[in-house]
Amino acid sequence: MFTPHITVACVVHAEGKLLIVEERVDGNVTWNQPAGHLEAEESLIAAMERELWDETGLRLSPEHLLGVHQWTANDGTPFIRFLFSCEIEACLDTCPYDDDIDCCHWLTPAEILQSSQLRSPLVAESIRLWQSTTRFPLTVLHWFEQ
């Protein structure tokens, strides 16, 4: 049965830098955008706000949808990733609450794209999509509660 993992991620930009979370995956240090899985009874935007708080300690709301990625990891796990963006005035101090996150970094897009520590190809693809300046309003997403 096909059961893709639905995830959210956010490119957070301030002062020419992007916010990256550092975590260990199978003992290796990796970099990712603040990201995580959609939980039951949660909208995509609420999931993104929760993940930003958990992984960075920042209370931010996404401003735009950048796109949706469909990707299959090397182990065969399928993902559908909703990518958001957020623009803030200054690089803020971070304090991850998620035990899986070691720390956060504010890095230039070039520093991230040149890294060999990216958690998946989606990290670089997300930066390239953000650089393309294509933005969709959050109103393209519809949340229906019963």
Side-chain angles (χ1 to χ4, degrees):
M1 182 163 92
F2 179 69
T3 54
H5 292 237
I6 307 299
T7 61
V8 295
C10 193
V11 176
V12 180
H13 173 255
E15 301 178 55
K17 296 183 178 182
L18 303 177
L19 183 58
I20 290 294
V21 298
E22 181 178 301
E23 58 191 330
R24 291 191 182 274
V25 177
D26 298 326
N28 299 312
V29 172
T30 62
W31 290 353
N32 197 4
Q33 282 89 22
H37 289 81
L38 178 69
E39 295 181 358
E41 307 299 322
E42 186 175 51
S43 72
L44 292 164
I45 294 169
M48 190 69 267
E49 291 170 342
R50 177 183 50 75
E51 290 294 346
L52 279 166
W53 169 253
D54 288 349
E55 295 192 356
T56 69
L58 299 177
R59 293 255 186 234
L60 301 173
S61 295
E63 297 169 7
H64 297 99
L65 177 69
L66 295 180
V68 180
H69 291 110
Q70 185 174 348
W71 176 69
T72 302
N74 291 337
D75 66 1
T77 304
F79 288 89
I80 297 176
R81 187 184 205 225
F82 289 81
L83 179 65
F84 296 92
S85 68
C86 184
E87 299 282 330
I88 57 177
E89 288 186 27
C91 297
L92 301 172
D93 291 335
T94 59
C95 178
Y97 293 99
D98 185 328
D99 291 339
D100 293 333
I101 305 300
D102 295 333
C103 61
C104 301
H105 305 283
W106 288 98
L107 302 168
T108 66
E111 289 172 314
I112 300 163
L113 291 171
Q114 294 168 3
S115 174
S116 62
Q117 296 177 298
L118 304 184
R119 178 159 183 181
S120 78
L122 294 180
V123 178
E125 185 57 31
S126 296
I127 292 171
R128 287 189 282 273
L129 193 56
W130 173 79
Q131 289 173 323
S132 77
T133 70
T134 300
R135 306 286 186 268
F136 299 98
L138 296 179
T139 55
V140 302
L141 302 171
H142 301 277
W143 166 251
F144 294 98
E145 292 187 73
Q146 293 191 26

